[in-house]
Amino acid sequence: MEITIHDINDIQRAAQTFIENMPQGNVLAFYGNMGVGKTTFIKALCRELGVEEEVTSPTFAIVNEYEIKEKSKGENGKLPTAIYHFDFYRIKKLEEVYDMGYEDYFYSNGLCLIEWPELIEEVLPDDATKVYITEQKDGSRLVTF
């Protein structure tokens, strides 16, 4: 599937379209260059999923946890009650991921939204969905999964 985000004012519509077509599985791995808008898109997804608290980048914390207050439904008809937002940009060794107990998150009923998954590919579940965000020549963003 492809979703075009024309500009920042279009991001909530794009997030809603993504949710309506969200693939099965609870691990979504977001790939894209620095500054392409991975965190911004994940923030929009969290808002559309009913997260009421401020969504921030977990760059230093590695993972932030959010509760879904209202139940939004994707194509698959079910969503978890928690979202785990990961940013593995600062991971230097895979052992850090083991130490944080990644399995408790990835194999829970929570929705895992992962930035910089290429740094931890060895531990991604086989059914993780790869989501690519790329900047187009006109400045728009293309989300593919």
Side-chain angles (χ1 to χ4, degrees):
M1 166 131 206
E2 293 184 349
I3 302 168
T4 300
I5 304 171
H6 300 285
D7 57 41
I8 194 69
N9 297 317
D10 192 34
I11 199 160
Q12 289 307 134
R13 178 216 44 91
Q16 184 59 47
T17 300
F18 184 92
I19 291 165
E20 289 168 0
N21 296 281
M22 198 158 39
Q24 295 287 334
N26 70 314
V27 178
L28 303 177
F30 289 82
Y31 294 82
N33 293 334
M34 177 78 73
V36 78
K38 295 180 298 290
T39 301
T40 303
F41 188 65
I42 288 172
K43 286 179 180 183
L45 286 175
C46 289
R47 279 192 299 273
E48 289 298 316
L49 289 169
V51 173
E52 294 176 351
E53 61 196 284
E54 181 182 359
V55 176
T56 59
S57 175
T59 300
F60 294 101
I62 300 178
V63 62
N64 288 341
E65 181 177 347
Y66 303 104
E67 183 180 346
I68 299 175
K69 297 290 184 182
E70 64 183 60
K71 285 292 194 175
S72 304
K73 301 243 183 222
E75 273 299 301
N76 59 20
K78 67 175 187 131
L79 285 179
T81 57
I83 295 174
Y84 304 111
H85 179 194
F86 296 87
D87 185 334
F88 289 116
Y89 182 74
R90 296 196 181 282
I91 291 294
K92 293 183 180 23
K93 298 183 294 185
L94 201 55
E95 287 76 25
E96 294 175 65
V97 180
Y98 291 120
D99 291 345
M100 71 173 287
Y102 79 93
E103 304 100 329
D104 294 339
Y105 297 102
F106 290 6
Y107 299 101
S108 71
N109 291 326
L111 180 62
C112 298
L113 307 175
I114 303 171
E115 296 185 53
W116 300 102
E118 53 270 49
L119 300 175
I120 60 143
E121 291 233 336
E122 295 173 42
V123 299
L124 282 177
D126 292 337
D127 65 347
T129 298
K130 294 183 177 185
V131 181
Y132 298 91
I133 302 178
T134 53
E135 183 174 6
Q136 305 302 291
K137 288 182 181 180
D138 65 359
S140 66
R141 303 303 197 260
L142 184 64
V143 179
T144 57
F145 58 98

